[in-house]
Amino acid sequence: MSPIPPPFPEFKIALLGFGNVGQALAELLLEKKRDLIAKPGIGFRVVGIGTGTHGWAVDPRGLPLQDVLDACRAGGDLERFSSSPIHDSAGFIKKCGADALVETTPVNYQTGEPALTYLRDALRGGMHAITANKGPVVHGYRELSSLAHRNRVHFYFESAVMDGAPVFSIARCGLPGAVVSGFSGILNSTTNLILSRMERGETQAEAIAYAQSIGIAESDPSGDLDGWDAAVKVAALATVLMDIPLTPDQVQRTGIRGLTPDLIQDAAEKGQRWKLVCSAERDSSSPLGISAAVQPLLVSPESQLYNITGTSALLEITSDVLGTLTLIEDDPSPRTTAYGLLADLLNAFRN
Amino acid sequence: MSPIPPPFPEFKIALLGFGNVGQALAELLLEKKRDLIAKPGIGFRVVGIGTGTHGWAVDPRGLPLQDVLDACRAGGDLERFSSSPIHDSAGFIKKCGADALVETTPVNYQTGEPALTYLRDALRGGMHAITANKGPVVHGYRELSSLAHRNRVHFYFESAVMDGAPVFSIARCGLPGAVVSGFSGILNSTTNLILSRMERGETQAEAIAYAQSIGIAESDPSGDLDGWDAAVKVAALATVLMDIPLTPDQVQRTGIRGLTPDLIQDAAEKGQRWKLVCSAERDSSSPLGISAAVQPLLVSPESQLYNITGTSALLEITSDVLGTLTLIEDDPSPRTTAYGLLADLLNAFRN
């Protein structure tokens, strides 16, 4: 391919976290690099990559993205790509010199750490802070948003809920001046896949094993089965869409462990399906101003939820101006999540 | 209510077209005025209202919106509200002194006029141009967008397709850098309502009469029945989402006149429904680069289209990065359309 002639604005990106999603973003950046210069007219250089197990590399001239991907996959260390030595993630953020930090590290949902600290450091350093983690949204939305505002940068997190589906973009650009009164939907892919498999006759244990085998469920699937992951998403959505800070433990929560094959077959005989349904609505009788729940519910074919099978997801947003608006994402993948991060990057650079 | 203390940015709005949608926007502006100053921090004044049958009024100090609404509904003329005499819409656009023109006049779909001229004049005058009409999108998207860009203002048209549902906001903010490969959906409320009524046993004539009685269908319903309205929407979506200029006559088009009660009952007996389905996809074998159609199709309960009944609408967007993303709008109304215009105004003022 011939070189692309300047001038076009070239932004510097640092990736902190280089697992499935970070690597999928690197691939997407490689794939889209030339097209993005054509439209929306944005060039970029990846000036830093920080990993959990392969070390860190920074280079203001830009890292060779494909070589770094190959090295990581071969189990090598990234130090040899680095123009200066980096010893930890704090030093990485300080020295990477990026315009935007993309954070995809493992997160503790009780605290939002260490993502929260990384994002705060990035924003303080004048970088856009972009994350695929919902932990820092739940635990730091107001702080990080106002920090971003003060520093004239952006804190974006499209991939935190429903992968790359534009949930938060809709809230930002599609619903200005609207008052969101509530939402409901299916937001946990793992449990939805498990329930879909159980409808076809598997036991819960078999369905879990399958979900683990394809990398959807973790080795300890409790976070999904007990509704914790869904509750964190409900808290993030309430915090951002409804401007009501809510923590996951304030979400009434029942997981799917009680859904036996018998219950699922009984439902099927009545033409119904069990779904793990997330919901929240304003509630003036609650001291929180909101009632929020994650719970298994029986749904009928007339409901749009009925046809959400496998790892697909659905979110219904109810507002004072649009009635009910529904968003459905079919069969997400790490590429979808990576795209949410890319969309955040492009929106941050454009705005 | 106590007066709202300045300072907040106050934008001047002119409304050209004051039918159901224009009046619904005026009501929404009255309802939301104080809240919008609080968030997103935008104040406004309506400095001009132009109607088809009640004349025009401009006043740089702001028109008394409720009084103008009342006068219009009582069949009065607006001249008495005007600080200077206005004799036609061209003069109205020239003299209104607004920051944004909101255009909701009756439009000719073959030409996009006179909306196209109004919007062009507004943009040339340095105003944001906002329309609920799809005609000027189909006939003037590239021209008006580049004119807006040159004049550092915006040309927005969220309400042109799927009322206030954020179809174009998603394309703008939610899918940056994505390549849309196609879309499909149910985009014409009138025919969908007619088919839903026919499923309950009405003849097509009875269902049309009902749709007319509630103000959904026009006295001459051909535009809906023959698929023209849907074809214009397909052309608008292809032009904007896929960047392929398409005219309505380039859309393969079959309406619903051939759907007899017998056909609809036959489908029901098989558990299926007829829907007027819009679709478009890139097609390198076509000289247009796209194949687009509006046609009645049988859909099964496994399809999300099956549950779209009455005046609801659905759009599935397929892209290289998100797979299929689906947007559903339930039971739109003039208020929903008015909200699309308000969202455009707020996005124009913020950006």
Side-chain angles (χ1 to χ4, degrees):
Chain A
M1 285 190 291
S2 57
I4 304 138
F8 49 82
E10 200 187 55
F11 295 93
K12 288 167 281 175
I13 300 171
L15 311 180
L16 182 55
F18 208 57
N20 283 345
V21 169
Q23 292 184 25
L25 176 59
E27 283 171 350
L28 195 56
L29 288 171
L30 282 167
E31 175 190 330
K32 289 264 176 190
K33 180 162 185 150
R34 292 176 60 92
D35 290 342
L36 294 176
I37 291 169
K39 188 184 168 190
I42 286 175
F44 64 82
R45 210 184 319 163
V46 174
V47 295
I49 294 178
T51 74
T53 47
H54 307 278
W56 298 265
V58 296
D59 190 334
R61 295 163 302 181
L63 292 163
L65 212 43
Q66 188 61 59
D67 295 348
V68 174
L69 270 170
D70 294 343
C72 251
R73 285 165 182 171
D77 196 279
L78 302 192
E79 201 182 335
R80 65 188 167 97
F81 296 104
S82 200
S83 61
S84 58
I86 304 285
H87 306 293
D88 56 26
S89 292
F92 174 82
I93 295 169
K94 205 163 189 171
K95 289 200 187 157
C96 66
D99 299 305
L101 180 82
V102 180
E103 187 281 322
T104 61
T105 66
V107 72
N108 177 330
Y109 289 124
Q110 307 302 317
T111 62
E113 294 292 0
L116 199 52
T117 297
Y118 297 152
L119 295 164
R120 192 186 290 122
D121 286 353
L123 291 167
R124 283 188 181 147
M127 296 177 222
H128 300 296
I130 289 160
T131 181
N133 278 317
K134 48 197 175 294
V137 179
V138 169
H139 295 284
Y141 173 64
R142 287 196 175 174
E143 179 207 343
L144 297 180
S145 295
S146 74
L147 184 57
H149 186 74
R150 282 201 302 280
N151 288 349
R152 295 169 182 270
V153 288
H154 294 286
F155 168 48
Y156 286 161
F157 41 82
E158 190 59 271
S159 298
V161 176
M162 276 180 91
D163 312 281
V167 175
F168 295 111
S169 292
I170 285 185
R172 209 164 56 232
C173 304
L175 292 171
V179 177
V180 174
S181 49
F183 59 84
S184 68
I186 295 173
L187 299 173
N188 180 270
S189 301
T190 307
T191 49
N192 205 53
L193 176 63
I194 289 168
L195 295 175
S196 292
R197 303 280 299 188
M198 290 179 73
E199 280 158 22
R200 290 191 254 154
E202 290 186 3
T203 64
Q204 194 167 106
E206 285 164 349
I208 292 168
Y210 172 78
Q212 286 167 330
S213 75
I214 61 164
I216 299 279
E218 294 180 50
S219 52
D220 173 6
S222 320
D224 293 317
L225 298 182
D226 295 330
W228 268 115
D229 173 82
V232 179
K233 286 172 174 161
V234 168
L237 288 172
T239 303
V240 181
L241 267 55
M242 301 174 72
D243 204 18
I244 299 179
L246 192 73
T247 55
D249 56 288
Q250 292 169 328
V251 178
Q252 250 195 309
R253 184 178 46 77
T254 309
I256 65 159
R257 290 192 200 259
L259 292 180
T260 59
D262 280 355
L263 279 172
I264 284 169
Q265 291 313 317
D266 285 355
E269 281 161 25
K270 292 176 198 142
Q272 296 182 310
R273 286 177 178 157
W274 285 100
K275 292 289 176 189
L276 186 64
V277 178
C278 298
S279 63
E281 61 179 322
R282 289 182 195 276
D283 178 359
S284 55
S285 73
S286 155
L288 300 169
I290 189 172
S291 293
V294 172
Q295 59 193 320
L297 291 179
L298 274 174
V299 300
S300 299
E302 300 76 49
S303 164
Q304 297 289 0
L305 297 179
Y306 186 86
N307 280 336
I308 304 302
T309 54
T311 58
S312 297
L314 177 149
L315 179 65
E316 281 184 6
I317 302 173
T318 307
S319 68
D320 63 334
V321 283
L322 276 191
T324 303
L325 182 72
T326 305
L327 198 65
I328 301 172
E329 181 184 44
D330 279 337
D331 297 325
S333 68
R335 180 178 163 89
T336 328
T337 307
Y339 173 68
L341 296 167
L342 177 61
D344 282 345
L345 278 169
L346 296 174
N347 282 324
F349 293 150
R350 289 194 301 189
N351 288 347
Chain B
M1 286 191 290
S2 57
I4 304 138
F8 48 82
E10 200 186 54
F11 294 93
K12 287 167 283 175
I13 300 171
L15 312 181
L16 182 56
F18 207 57
N20 283 346
V21 169
Q23 292 184 25
L25 175 59
E27 283 171 351
L28 195 56
L29 288 170
L30 282 167
E31 175 190 330
K32 289 264 178 190
K33 180 162 184 151
R34 291 176 62 92
D35 290 343
L36 294 176
I37 291 169
K39 189 183 167 192
I42 286 175
F44 64 83
R45 211 184 318 164
V46 175
V47 295
I49 294 178
T51 74
T53 49
H54 306 277
W56 298 265
V58 296
D59 190 335
R61 295 163 303 182
L63 291 164
L65 212 42
Q66 188 62 59
D67 295 347
V68 174
L69 271 170
D70 294 343
C72 253
R73 284 165 182 170
D77 196 279
L78 302 191
E79 201 183 333
R80 65 188 167 95
F81 295 105
S82 199
S83 62
S84 58
I86 305 286
H87 306 292
D88 57 25
S89 292
F92 173 82
I93 295 169
K94 204 162 189 173
K95 289 201 185 155
C96 67
D99 298 305
L101 180 82
V102 181
E103 188 280 322
T104 60
T105 67
V107 73
N108 177 329
Y109 289 125
Q110 307 301 318
T111 62
E113 293 292 1
L116 199 51
T117 298
Y118 297 153
L119 295 163
R120 191 188 291 123
D121 287 352
L123 292 167
R124 283 188 180 146
M127 298 177 221
H128 301 296
I130 289 160
T131 182
N133 278 318
K134 48 199 175 295
V137 179
V138 168
H139 295 283
Y141 173 65
R142 287 196 175 174
E143 179 208 343
L144 297 179
S145 296
S146 75
L147 184 57
H149 186 75
R150 283 202 303 279
N151 287 347
R152 296 169 181 270
V153 288
H154 295 286
F155 169 47
Y156 287 161
F157 41 82
E158 189 59 271
S159 298
V161 176
M162 276 180 92
D163 312 282
V167 175
F168 296 110
S169 292
I170 285 183
R172 208 164 56 232
C173 303
L175 293 171
V179 177
V180 174
S181 50
F183 59 84
S184 68
I186 295 173
L187 299 174
N188 179 269
S189 300
T190 307
T191 48
N192 204 54
L193 176 64
I194 290 168
L195 295 175
S196 292
R197 303 280 301 188
M198 289 179 74
E199 281 159 20
R200 289 191 255 155
E202 290 185 1
T203 63
Q204 194 168 104
E206 286 165 349
I208 292 168
Y210 173 77
Q212 286 167 330
S213 75
I214 61 164
I216 299 280
E218 293 180 49
S219 51
D220 173 5
S222 319
D224 294 317
L225 298 183
D226 295 331
W228 269 114
D229 172 84
V232 180
K233 285 171 176 162
V234 168
L237 289 171
T239 303
V240 181
L241 267 55
M242 300 172 73
D243 204 18
I244 299 179
L246 193 72
T247 55
D249 56 287
Q250 291 169 329
V251 179
Q252 249 195 309
R253 184 177 47 78
T254 308
I256 65 159
R257 290 191 199 261
L259 293 179
T260 59
D262 280 356
L263 279 172
I264 285 171
Q265 291 314 315
D266 284 355
E269 280 160 26
K270 291 177 199 144
Q272 295 181 311
R273 286 178 179 156
W274 284 100
K275 293 288 179 192
L276 186 64
V277 178
C278 298
S279 62
E281 61 179 323
R282 288 182 195 276
D283 177 0
S284 55
S285 73
S286 155
L288 300 168
I290 188 171
S291 293
V294 172
Q295 59 193 319
L297 291 179
L298 275 174
V299 301
S300 299
E302 299 76 48
S303 163
Q304 296 289 359
L305 297 179
Y306 186 86
N307 280 335
I308 304 302
T309 55
T311 58
S312 296
L314 176 148
L315 178 65
E316 281 184 6
I317 302 172
T318 307
S319 68
D320 64 333
V321 283
L322 276 191
T324 303
L325 181 72
T326 305
L327 198 65
I328 301 172
E329 180 184 44
D330 280 337
D331 295 326
S333 68
R335 180 179 164 89
T336 328
T337 308
Y339 173 68
L341 295 167
L342 177 62
D344 282 345
L345 279 170
L346 296 173
N347 282 324
F349 293 150
R350 288 194 302 190
N351 287 347

